[in-house]
Amino acid sequence: MRLTPLLALLAPLALAPATAKSQTSAPARCGVGIPAGEQTGYVPLPRGDVFCPLVADPKSFHSFASLLRHESDGDPTLDIASVGIGDHFALGRWNGGKPGDGLQFGLSAGVFAQFDLGTESYDLLNADYVVGLPVTYRRGWLSIRVRLYHQSSHLGDEYLLREPPTRQDRENLSFESLEWILSADAGALRLYGGGGNPFMPSPPGPDRRVAHGGPEPRPAVRGIPPRGLCGV
C-alpha cells in the first residue's frame, strides 16, 4: 500500500494554525476518557485507558460491522459481512504526574466473524475468538501497549459442508502471541507501529511474525470538526 499521497495530505493538518482546541494536551486530544476524579494515585477498576484505541485496527476490541468483497483468480467472488463484538475491562491504573499519564492493566475479549452474503442462510465462514491481557503506559505524547493474548479460529459448519468430503476434516487453529504497539501524538497527527510474535501454535506451523502501523489524523483546525478522525 502506498502511503506517500496520504502523508502529503496529512502534512497541512499537522502544520495548520492551531486553535484553542489544538493546544490541549496529547491525552485529551487523543481521547483517553479518564474522569477528573480518577487522575491521581492508584484507581481500581478505572474508566478510560491511557492508550487510545486504534481506530483502523481490524482486531481492535470494539463492536463493528463492515461489508467486504473478495476477488481472486479461479475463485468465485464473495460478498462478505465482517462483524466484531469486543470490549475492554480495566482492572487497575497507577496515574502519573500529569492528567492522562500512567500505567494501566486490564482484560480484553472479542469475537470476529465473517459471513457469506451470497448464500441463502448467510453461511458462517470463520470466527476468531480472542482473549488478551493488555498493559498500557503513557507519558505525555508517547504511549505504549503490550498485550499477551490467545486466539482460536474456527471454520463455519456450513462452509465445511460446501467443500468436497476429502476437505471436510475440521482442524481448528489456535496460538498465543505477545504484541507491542508504540504510539506518538504530534499535534493533529498520531503515528503508531509495532508487531507481534505468535508462539505455541496448534497445529504446529512456521514462525510467522506480524508487523503493523499507520497514521491517524485527529484534526482540530478551522473548517474541520475537532473530534473528526480517520485511520489507515
Side-chain angles (χ1 to χ4, degrees), residues 11-161:
L13 295 178
L15 299 176
T19 63
K21 282 278 188 180
S22 64
Q23 295 299 324
T24 58
S25 66
R29 173 187 286 277
C30 183
V32 293
I34 299 176
E38 298 184 4
Q39 295 181 354
T40 59
Y42 174 76
V43 180
L45 306 180
R47 289 172 289 178
D49 194 342
V50 297
F51 187 91
C52 296
L54 303 176
V55 297
D57 186 351
K59 289 294 181 71
S60 181
F61 289 99
H62 63 274
S63 298
F64 68 89
S66 60
L67 296 177
L68 309 173
R69 170 160 287 190
H70 176 268
E71 298 178 348
S72 63
D73 295 336
D75 293 327
T77 298
L78 292 179
D79 290 321
I80 300 173
S82 178
V83 180
I85 300 176
D87 206 350
H88 172 75
F89 184 71
L91 299 177
R93 181 175 62 244
W94 289 272
N95 288 287
K98 296 181 179 180
D101 291 356
L103 177 68
Q104 183 166 320
F105 64 99
L107 174 68
S108 54
V111 56
F112 307 92
Q114 298 81 43
F115 299 88
D116 184 357
L117 299 181
T119 59
E120 183 177 354
S121 59
Y122 301 149
D123 294 351
L124 173 66
L125 299 176
N126 180 73
D128 297 330
Y129 299 87
V130 185
V131 178
L133 298 172
V135 177
T136 56
Y137 171 80
R138 173 180 286 276
R139 184 171 182 178
W141 56 269
L142 178 67
S143 57
I144 302 171
R145 184 184 72 192
V146 178
R147 181 178 63 169
L148 178 66
Y149 69 90
H150 166 83
Q151 175 175 322
S152 59
S153 302
H154 306 270
L155 295 174
D157 292 336
E158 297 88 350
Y159 174 76
L160 286 175
L161 291 176

Side-chain angles (χ1 to χ4, degrees), residues 172-195:
N172 297 321
L173 169 69
S174 67
F175 62 88
E176 325 302 320
S177 183
L178 181 63
E179 176 197 65
W180 62 272
I181 298 290
L182 180 67
S183 172
D185 298 294
L189 181 64
R190 179 193 190 189
L191 297 174
Y192 67 89

